[in-house]
Amino acid sequence: MKKRNKSASSGANWMDTYGDLVTLLLCFFVLLYSISTIDQAKWVQIVRSFNPNAVEVSQIAIDNIEEATDEVPNHVEDGSLDEDEFDSLYESLKKAVEEAGIEGQVELYKGDGYTFVNFRDNVFFAGDSSVIRDEGKGILDQLATIVSGVADSVKEIQILGHTTQADPTIPNEPESDRVLSAERAARVTAYIQQRTTLPADRLVSVSYGQFRPIAPFDTEQNRARNRRVEILITKSDTVQRSLEEYYADMNR
């Protein structure tokens, strides 16, 4: 019986392999074409498929997006931010205070990852009242607009209400003291909330009463310094600190 020549039939096997390779290359180029206009969410899914054990998949995706495009997003999924966006908050607030002519009644600070504003109580309120004055509403309107413009970079806004000890030797009556500072902080918070695009859960009102003074109670001038509303605006990627730490940082 005559034996079959195997070399003639097996010689075409390389064509199968070549065909598979061409098909894979075609699929690869179709994939590249489909992501030529990069959708960040889809890109994350693609990166995750190639890096199933990666801890920070979103950062891998974002690094590739930034390399593939000329535009760099103001904020991305891992919380990294455009530094200029948050820094512009301080400059805008400073300009608004100057235009309102209340530099002597407002103190502005810019620290690492925060902007701190100290308003004397007469900017917003008269006497022992918790009703916001019209002049104060104008300032808060501007603040709400400015914050809305950088909302993506803002982690939280705390509105802190403070009173002062009326008599240098006798502490205030606890209920009226606490309620007044709480009402003032709450009213300012609610006013801002109604006029900003910042999510409501990032706005917090805090009442300290007379118990976080920045000056002694010995003179009328010092007592006036303690009557204040403070607004602490923190950046999205910063670690929260205590009020005392912010005060220490500003007094360095």
Side-chain angles (χ1 to χ4, degrees), residues 26-56:
L26 177 62
C27 291
F28 178 71
F29 285 118
V30 169
L31 174 63
L32 289 179
Y33 177 80
S34 68
I35 62 173
S36 59
T37 300
I38 296 175
D39 181 290
Q40 186 168 317
K42 292 179 180 178
W43 184 251
V44 170
Q45 292 176 1
I46 293 168
V47 174
R48 189 183 295 277
S49 68
F50 287 107
N51 300 270
N53 298 319
V55 177
E56 296 185 7

Side-chain angles (χ1 to χ4, degrees), residues 69-240:
T69 64
D70 292 329
E71 291 186 14
V72 179
N74 286 337
H75 70 101
V76 288
E77 288 187 3
D78 70 340
S80 61
L81 303 165
D82 181 352
E83 295 291 332
D84 293 337
E85 182 178 295
F86 189 83
D87 289 343
S88 69
L89 177 68
Y90 172 84
E91 298 300 331
S92 298
L93 288 173
K94 183 179 178 182
K95 182 178 179 181
V97 168
E98 291 172 351
E99 290 177 350
I102 57 172
E103 297 95 326
Q105 298 167 288
V106 180
E107 295 176 348
L108 274 167
Y109 304 90
K110 182 175 73 170
D112 184 15
Y114 73 90
T115 292
F116 197 96
V117 193
N118 180 349
F119 293 96
R120 297 288 175 86
D121 72 328
N122 58 0
V123 173
F124 299 132
F125 306 102
D128 291 331
S129 172
S130 61
V131 178
I132 302 176
R133 301 170 60 192
D134 289 340
E135 295 86 345
K137 290 179 180 179
I139 295 297
L140 292 177
D141 286 338
Q142 292 188 61
L143 186 145
T145 300
I146 291 168
V147 168
S148 295
V150 296
D152 289 338
S153 67
V154 173
K155 178 180 183 179
E156 187 177 75
I157 297 180
Q158 292 186 35
I159 293 85
L160 318 174
H162 300 270
T163 59
T164 193
Q165 189 168 304
D167 187 318
T169 60
I170 304 174
N172 296 338
E173 192 276 319
E175 183 173 352
S176 60
D177 181 66
R178 292 284 189 179
V179 168
L180 179 61
S181 63
E183 285 184 349
R184 287 179 167 181
R187 287 184 185 275
V188 171
T189 304
Y191 192 92
I192 295 172
Q193 179 180 330
Q194 293 168 348
R195 290 160 177 81
T196 183
T197 59
L198 192 74
D201 61 355
R202 296 192 211 170
L203 290 164
V204 180
S205 63
V206 183
S207 164
Y208 287 107
Q210 67 178 70
F211 302 105
R212 292 291 192 281
I214 56 175
F217 300 122
D218 54 352
T219 67
E220 179 55 40
Q221 184 178 5
N222 279 336
R223 289 194 292 274
R225 291 184 62 199
N226 292 327
R227 297 186 193 98
R228 67 199 191 277
V229 173
E230 296 171 324
I231 298 181
L232 172 61
I233 309 170
T234 52
K235 190 178 176 184
S236 291
D237 57 355
T238 55
V239 177
Q240 197 72 33

Side-chain angles (χ1 to χ4, degrees), residues 43 47 51 54-65:
W43 184 251
V47 174
N51 300 270
V55 177
E56 296 185 7
V57 173
S58 61
Q59 184 59 56
I60 297 171
I62 289 154
D63 288 344
N64 281 279
I65 289 173

